[in-house]
């Protein structure tokens, strides 16, 4: 696709030193940040400090960590040198009558120094592991028995939120003009100018209509609403939507692979996933319950037992990826099988949360921000049109949640709040958009438009939910023993 190759070359193709650590330091003529580990540690320090600063500034506006982290990542990406270049050009224009010089080299030097290929690879690997641990922790904090009590109301809302926005956005996608041009091999390739592959619009429509359970659970936990009546309903609906989409995609893969005579590997993959689930249900679950039973009420879990649980999390992530599922599926199921109010859950949260959430996970937002370059916008109408396209989907999803909720005698105010909760977007969707950019399904300017709209929608929905929903006015507020959810 036009523009993608140049974009990634400008970001990641600086030369790298083969040594992980500095040979002797600056006093021996060595550049410490020309090596992998010093630059990697600088990445952690810079993104964590920036994220905390942005969170401190936006905390009065009830913004979740996702919004603060992604804003921090964007600020530390190409946006920072671009703003600096414009500022220098402005001051030069004010004080020098000869006109502003070209400061474009600042951006190129910054990107080459901060985001080399070897460091980006390490950053993405550590961030992926932190992301997997984060989803495991969210599942540990969630009581699945509360989720499944919502019954047919949650199922009706979930189906409505899946079908209606996806169908509407697929109809609206016809307004985007598809262009056909020959590629280097002489084949005719279809593309949407400013967006990318036409299938990108289908991917965007599916992600807008999808509500991922870990995303909703994390934001509701931050807002201290996870174990309220409405929070449990939102979690239940999001789980139905999330796994409903997973089942839909799995069925689509079965149909496609069967058409291309690739059904046998798919059967083997399904058998592997079933074997993993059987292992978790009949080996892992009894083991963790045995640990809980052996631990006194106010006792502490041994570090060795917590370490073994974390090793199983890593193994299940690898097994999930090996059998063709998402790398997070195994750890999420594991987390739901750990008793949420048990000493084991508390011990896992205490020992893992700071490292996973505080140090590893922000690297994922730094990687996402590295790819956000607003100077790549060449089609302003398409840029705005794509944002309007996604915003329309979120609005339809809002009413798609409200309608069945009101039908089941839920007050309109609560139904509206539920619709806002189901429009939360988080890191899981963001990583899919990042992968779509790396695979060149979407173009950099479409990715920039997506970043703007998901940040805006999540920020607005979080603020409205925090301001308008007071669970203390409800007669059905669940109180939990696990203090870190508060």
């Amino acid at each position: 696709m036009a523009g993608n190759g140049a974009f990634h070359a400008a970001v990641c193709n600086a030369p790298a030193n083969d040594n992980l650590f500095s040979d002797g330091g600056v006093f021996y003529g060595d550049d410490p940040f020309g090596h992998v580990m010093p630059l990697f540690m600088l990445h952690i320090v810079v993104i964590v400090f920036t994220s905390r600063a942005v969170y401190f500034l936006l905390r009065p506006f009830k913004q979740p960590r996702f919004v603060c982290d992604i804003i921090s990542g964007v600020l530390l990406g190409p946006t920072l040198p671009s703003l600096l270049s414009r500022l220098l050009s402005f001051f030069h224009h004010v004080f020098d009558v000869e006109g502003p010089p070209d400061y474009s080299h600042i951006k190129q030097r910054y990107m080459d120094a901060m985001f080399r290929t070897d460091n980006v690879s390490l950053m993405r690997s550590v961030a992926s592991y932190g992301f997997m641990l984060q989803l495991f922790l969210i599942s540990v904090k969630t009581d699945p028995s509360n989720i499944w009590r919502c019954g047919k109301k949650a199922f009706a809302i979930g189906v409505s939120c899946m079908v209606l926005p996806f169908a509407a956005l697929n109809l609206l996608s016809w307004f985007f003009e598809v262009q056909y041009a020959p590629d280097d091999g002489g084949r005719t390739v279809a593309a949407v100018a400013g967006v990318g592959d036409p299938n990108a619009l289908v991917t965007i429509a599916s992600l807008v209509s999808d509500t991922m359970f870990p995303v909703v659970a994390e934001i509701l936990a931050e807002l201290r609403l996870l174990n309220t009546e409405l929070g449990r309903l939102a979690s239940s609906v999001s789980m139905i939507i999330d796994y409903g989409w997973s089942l839909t995609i799995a069925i689509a893969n079965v149909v496609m692979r069967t058409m291309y005579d690739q059904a046998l590997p798919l059967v083997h993959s399904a058998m592997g996933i079933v074997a993993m689930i059987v292992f978790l249900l009949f080996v892992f679950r009894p083991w963790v319950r045995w640990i809980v039973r052996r631990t006194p009420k106010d006792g502490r879990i041994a570090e060795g037992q917590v370490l073994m649980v974390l090793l199983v999390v890593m193994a299940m992530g690898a097994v999930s990826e090996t059998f063709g599922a998402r790398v997070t599926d195994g750890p999420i199921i594991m987390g739901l099988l750990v008793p949420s109010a048990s000493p084991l859950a508390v011990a896992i949260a205490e020992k893992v949360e700071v490292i996973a959430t505080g140090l590893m996970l922000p690297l994922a937002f730094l990687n996402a921000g590295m790819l956000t370059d607003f100077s790549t916008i060449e089609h302003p109408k398409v840029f705005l049109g794509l944002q309007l396209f996604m915003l329309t989907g979120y609005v339809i999803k809002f009413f798609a949640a409200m309608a069945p909720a009101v039908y089941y005698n839920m007050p309109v105010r609560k139904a509206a709040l539920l619709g806002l909760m189901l429009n939360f977007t988080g890191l899981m969707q963001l990583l899919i958009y990042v992968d779509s950019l790396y695979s060149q399904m979407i173009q950099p300017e479409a990715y920039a438009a997506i970043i703007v709209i998901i940040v805006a929608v999540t920020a607005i929905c979080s603020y409205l939910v925090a301001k308008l929903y007071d669970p203390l006015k409800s007669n059905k507020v669940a109180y939990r023993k696990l203090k870190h959810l508060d």
Side-chain angles (χ1 to χ4, degrees):
M1 274 175 218
N4 272 356
F7 175 74
H8 290 296
V11 169
C12 299
N13 285 346
N17 197 308
D18 292 334
N19 296 332
L20 288 177
F21 295 94
S22 174
D23 294 327
V26 293
F27 299 108
Y28 290 89
D30 188 23
D31 178 15
F33 297 111
H35 302 268
V36 175
M37 289 307 298
L39 183 57
F40 173 70
M41 289 184 281
L42 178 65
H43 284 160
I44 295 178
V45 172
V46 171
I47 185 59
V48 171
F49 177 81
T50 306
S51 175
R52 292 290 179 176
V54 173
Y55 183 67
F56 175 78
L57 294 174
L58 297 182
R59 185 169 55 182
F61 303 99
K62 307 295 183 182
Q63 292 306 303
R65 286 294 302 273
F66 168 76
V67 172
C68 302
D69 287 341
I70 197 171
I71 291 175
S72 303
V74 171
L75 289 176
L76 294 174
T79 304
L80 178 63
S82 297
L83 291 175
L84 181 60
S85 300
R86 292 178 182 273
L87 185 63
L88 291 175
S89 297
F90 171 76
F91 281 114
H92 195 92
H93 177 75
V94 171
F95 297 106
D96 190 348
V97 295
E98 296 180 1
D102 183 16
Y103 287 106
S104 60
H105 66 280
I106 295 178
K107 176 181 175 181
Q108 186 66 42
R109 283 187 173 184
Y110 175 82
M111 298 303 292
D112 287 344
M114 281 290 290
F115 302 107
R116 299 195 309 266
T117 304
D118 51 354
N119 276 91
V120 169
S121 177
L122 177 60
M123 180 173 63
R124 294 189 70 193
S125 299
V126 175
S128 298
Y129 179 58
F131 175 60
M132 185 176 68
L133 286 179
Q134 172 73 357
L135 296 186
F136 171 68
L137 289 173
I138 292 172
S139 302
V140 166
K141 297 176 184 180
T142 305
D143 187 353
S145 63
N146 288 332
I147 293 175
W148 297 116
R149 291 173 185 167
C150 299
K152 58 183 180 180
K153 176 170 63 175
F155 182 80
I157 297 172
V159 172
S160 176
C161 290
M162 282 180 59
V163 175
L164 296 181
F166 183 72
L169 290 181
N170 275 280
L171 291 176
L172 291 175
S173 64
W174 289 98
F175 287 97
F176 290 88
E177 182 182 356
V178 180
Q179 300 175 349
Y180 298 90
D183 62 1
D184 296 336
R187 296 173 301 177
T188 301
V189 178
V192 179
V195 176
D197 192 292
N199 292 327
L201 295 173
V202 179
T203 300
I204 293 171
S206 64
L207 289 174
V208 169
S209 57
D210 193 359
T211 301
M212 297 186 176
F213 160 70
V215 170
V216 173
E218 181 182 15
I219 296 179
L220 290 178
E222 284 189 51
L223 299 176
R224 301 181 182 181
L225 300 175
L226 180 59
N227 293 298
T228 62
E229 178 188 11
L230 199 56
R232 291 196 301 271
L233 178 59
S235 298
S236 179
V237 174
S238 65
M239 184 172 286
I240 291 171
I241 296 174
D242 194 3
Y243 285 96
W245 268 113
S246 297
L247 180 62
T248 302
I249 294 172
I251 294 174
N253 284 333
V254 169
V255 174
M256 293 296 295
R257 292 180 184 273
T258 303
M259 291 174 59
Y260 291 98
D261 296 328
Q262 296 179 346
L264 186 59
L266 193 64
V267 172
H268 292 161
S269 176
M271 291 174 62
I273 294 173
V274 170
M276 179 188 70
I277 295 175
V278 169
F279 169 81
L280 293 176
L281 289 176
F282 296 101
V283 178
F284 175 76
R285 185 183 182 187
W287 175 55
V288 295
R289 292 184 178 274
W290 175 77
I291 293 175
V292 172
R293 285 197 305 269
R294 289 194 58 190
T295 305
K297 185 176 182 181
D298 298 323
R300 295 187 62 83
I301 301 292
E303 290 188 5
Q305 293 173 330
V306 177
L307 177 61
M308 289 300 298
V309 171
L310 295 180
L311 289 177
V312 177
V313 171
M314 296 181 66
M316 289 301 102
V319 169
S320 297
E321 185 74 15
T322 301
F323 292 145
R326 296 180 299 188
V327 69
T328 56
D329 286 341
I332 288 175
I333 297 173
M334 281 184 60
L336 293 174
L337 295 178
V338 175
S340 57
S342 65
L344 179 60
V346 175
I348 291 172
E350 289 178 349
K351 296 181 183 298
V352 178
E353 193 160 22
V354 173
I355 299 298
T357 306
L359 294 180
M360 292 183 178
L361 201 60
L363 293 172
F365 295 97
L366 181 60
N367 177 66
M370 173 196 75
L371 302 171
T372 308
D373 190 354
F374 295 103
S375 65
T376 60
I377 300 174
E378 299 177 354
H379 307 83
K381 291 184 178 180
V382 177
F383 181 84
L384 295 175
L386 183 60
Q387 291 182 323
L388 183 61
F389 173 78
M390 295 181 65
L391 183 60
T392 302
Y394 286 119
V395 172
I396 294 174
K397 186 177 178 182
F398 172 78
F399 288 106
M402 278 192 66
V406 172
Y407 176 80
Y408 280 99
N409 300 320
M410 179 180 287
V412 175
R413 181 187 179 90
K414 283 191 174 182
L417 288 168
L418 177 65
L420 293 174
M421 291 178 180
L422 296 178
N423 273 322
F424 290 156
T425 303
L427 185 57
M428 294 186 73
Q429 290 98 329
L430 177 63
L431 291 181
I432 296 175
Y433 288 126
V434 169
D435 288 341
S436 299
L437 178 60
Y438 273 118
S439 65
Q440 300 187 359
M441 176 180 285
I442 62 175
Q443 294 183 2
E445 58 182 312
Y447 175 79
I450 291 169
I451 292 296
V452 171
I453 197 66
I454 64 176
V455 169
V457 169
T458 305
I460 293 171
C461 291
S462 301
Y463 178 79
L464 292 176
V465 168
K467 284 293 185 182
L468 299 178
Y469 183 43
D470 184 3
L472 296 179
K473 294 181 180 179
S474 175
N475 293 326
K476 297 180 179 180
V477 180
Y479 293 93
R480 296 291 301 275
K481 185 177 179 180
L482 199 56
K483 294 176 68 176
H484 57 272
L485 285 177
D486 296 329

